[in-house]
Amino acid sequence: MKFAIIMLSIIFITDIGTCLGVDQLICDTGGTTYHANGQLKACTLKDDFASNGIKCKQYAPISFYETGKLESCVASDFFIYGSIICNQYSQVSFYPSGKLKTCDLSQTIQIDGKTCAQYEPIFLQENGKLKSCSTPH
């Protein structure tokens, strides 16, 4: 028991196994990739993982920018970003700034004067303006 406590203390003190706040232990075995600087780039999650206000789905791919910020993942639940509601189990991606880049909509929405269709992808510019989306049929 003392050995386990000592080893855990060493891990926490030296920060072994973490990359800019993203712990490599979030990954399932195999298929993990790293950026040139050694930071976690992508893997398959072994459990649900919360980051950037989104809960990422277990057993789905997740990727990070070289800075450690979330690049993309599959949402395990609906993700609300302002007036945009991204669909459950859809791929959601972010800009390096943390702002929403793309997702599949859970409902039809009016944005920048355009109606965007439910269940279809929406693409935003980094400033939040609409880049493109599909219109309802």
Side-chain angles (χ1 to χ4, degrees), residues 9-133:
S9 297
I10 291 170
I11 288 171
F12 289 125
I13 291 168
T14 60
D15 207 24
I16 293 173
T18 60
C19 299
L20 290 174
V22 179
D23 193 329
Q24 299 170 36
L25 299 175
I26 67 170
C27 301
D28 205 1
T29 56
T32 303
T33 60
Y34 301 89
H35 289 283
N37 68 359
Q39 304 305 317
L40 181 62
K41 182 177 184 176
C43 70
T44 300
L45 289 172
K46 70 176 178 181
D47 294 305
D48 282 352
F49 176 76
S51 179
N52 206 30
I54 186 171
K55 188 175 176 186
C56 300
K57 189 175 179 333
Q58 177 184 29
Y59 304 128
I62 189 168
S63 63
F64 297 92
Y65 288 104
E66 204 165 355
T67 60
K69 287 192 173 190
L70 180 64
E71 182 177 10
S72 69
C73 74
V74 175
S76 67
D77 204 350
F78 296 97
F79 172 61
I80 300 171
Y81 186 87
S83 62
I84 298 169
I85 303 173
C86 301
N87 209 13
Q88 184 178 23
Y89 309 128
S90 73
Q91 185 77 26
V92 179
S93 66
F94 298 91
Y95 286 101
S97 63
K99 294 183 178 181
L100 182 65
K101 188 175 187 178
T102 65
C103 77
D104 292 345
L105 295 172
S106 70
Q107 59 190 25
T108 301
I109 186 174
Q110 182 107 19
I111 187 166
D112 293 343
K114 184 174 181 181
T115 302
C116 299
Q118 181 180 26
Y119 307 127
E120 295 295 324
I122 187 170
F123 300 90
L124 301 174
Q125 297 174 29
E126 193 164 3
N127 65 8
K129 295 289 184 186
L130 181 66
K131 194 177 216 178
S132 69
C133 70

